[in-house]
């Protein structure tokens, strides 16, 4: 499978909106206006696509490491937060399936807070806990082709809104966002399979 770069995705977005010349770099941006706009909007467009769903390619499960003497008035156990954690979905006993519920039919309660030393921690009453969570993804090659195309269209919407002024720009922006939403729906369906 060919490697996709952020510059290639930016150039695809620029092609959609009829902008040229294409960019050669966005980090740092080359001297073109298009590269500066791509550098401004790329991360936001990428994060909106990658953080809006429990993507299989961004979801992990890990045994948590308990912090010694970490209990507080509400929770008995304090755990280290895994590196790269974006969003904690659920805390689970070892070997439990996704969506686990205890004998009362409830999910395991937990909190994500900052301790007195300013370190992010996970708190729970579950001993030897596991966590299912999403991680920050920065490599566009992790995305499936539908999610990549949604990213391109989302970026195109932002770029066209910045380049075209007035009602014409707003109309074009709305069209690209609608196309991006269609691609996200397809990507979610593929991810669910």
């Amino acid at each position: 499978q060919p490697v996709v770069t952020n510059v290639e995705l930016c150039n695809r977005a620029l092609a959609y909106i009829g902008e040229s010349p294409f960019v050669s770099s966005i980090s740092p941006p080359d001297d073109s206006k298009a590269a500066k706009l791509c550098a401004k909007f790329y991360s936001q467009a990428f994060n909106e696509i990658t953080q809006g769903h429990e993507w299989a390619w961004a979801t992990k499960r890990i045994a948590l490491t308990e912090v010694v003497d970490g209990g507080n008035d509400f929770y008995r156990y304090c755990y280290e937060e895994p590196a790269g954690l974006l969003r904690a979905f659920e805390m689970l006993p070892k070997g439990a399936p996704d969506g686990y519920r205890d004998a009362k039919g409830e999910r395991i309660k937990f909190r994500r807070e900052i301790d007195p030393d300013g370190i992010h921690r996970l708190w729970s009453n579950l001993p030897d806990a596991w966590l299912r969570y999403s991680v920050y993804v920065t490599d566009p090659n992790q995305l499936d082709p539908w999610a990549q195309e949604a990213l391109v269209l989302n970026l195109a919407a932002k770029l066209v809104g910045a380049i075209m002024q007035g009602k014409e720009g707003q109309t074009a922006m709305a069209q690209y966002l609608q196309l991006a939403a269609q691609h996200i729906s397809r990507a979610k369906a593929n991810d669910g399979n």
Side-chain angles (χ1 to χ4, degrees), residues 55 57 140-149 186-187 190-191:
W55 300 108
W57 37 263
N141 293 285
Q142 296 289 320
L143 285 65
D144 76 10
W146 290 98
Q148 284 181 5
E149 193 64 9
R186 182 65 185 267
N190 288 347
D191 194 59

Side-chain angles (χ1 to χ4, degrees), residues 30-52:
D30 62 35
D31 289 334
S32 68
K33 175 184 176 184
K36 291 173 183 163
L37 287 172
C38 285
K40 180 177 182 175
F41 294 120
Y42 179 82
S43 290
Q44 179 185 359
F46 190 94
N47 289 338
E48 287 172 0
I49 299 302
T50 60
Q51 296 177 20

Side-chain angles (χ1 to χ4, degrees), residues 2-104:
V3 175
V4 177
T5 65
N6 57 4
V7 169
E8 179 184 338
L9 295 174
C10 288
N11 286 332
R12 284 168 50 190
L14 290 167
Y16 268 122
I17 65 173
E19 278 294 304
S20 63
F22 289 155
V23 301
S24 58
S25 175
I26 64 166
S27 183
D30 62 35
D31 289 334
S32 68
K33 175 184 176 184
K36 291 173 183 163
L37 287 172
C38 285
K40 180 177 182 175
F41 294 120
Y42 179 82
S43 290
Q44 179 185 359
F46 190 94
N47 289 338
E48 287 172 0
I49 299 302
T50 60
Q51 296 177 20
H53 178 68
E54 289 183 29
W55 300 108
W57 37 263
T59 301
K60 291 187 173 186
R61 182 184 300 251
I62 191 170
L64 295 173
T65 303
E66 188 176 347
V67 176
V68 178
D69 297 326
N72 63 26
D73 293 341
F74 305 103
Y75 295 107
R76 288 178 285 181
Y77 303 100
C78 178
Y79 297 101
E80 289 181 10
E81 186 172 281
L85 183 142
L86 171 63
R87 194 168 80 210
F89 298 135
E90 59 184 340
M91 196 170 281
L92 308 160
K94 181 179 181 179
D98 294 358
Y100 171 82
R101 298 196 182 272
D102 64 16
K104 296 178 184 176

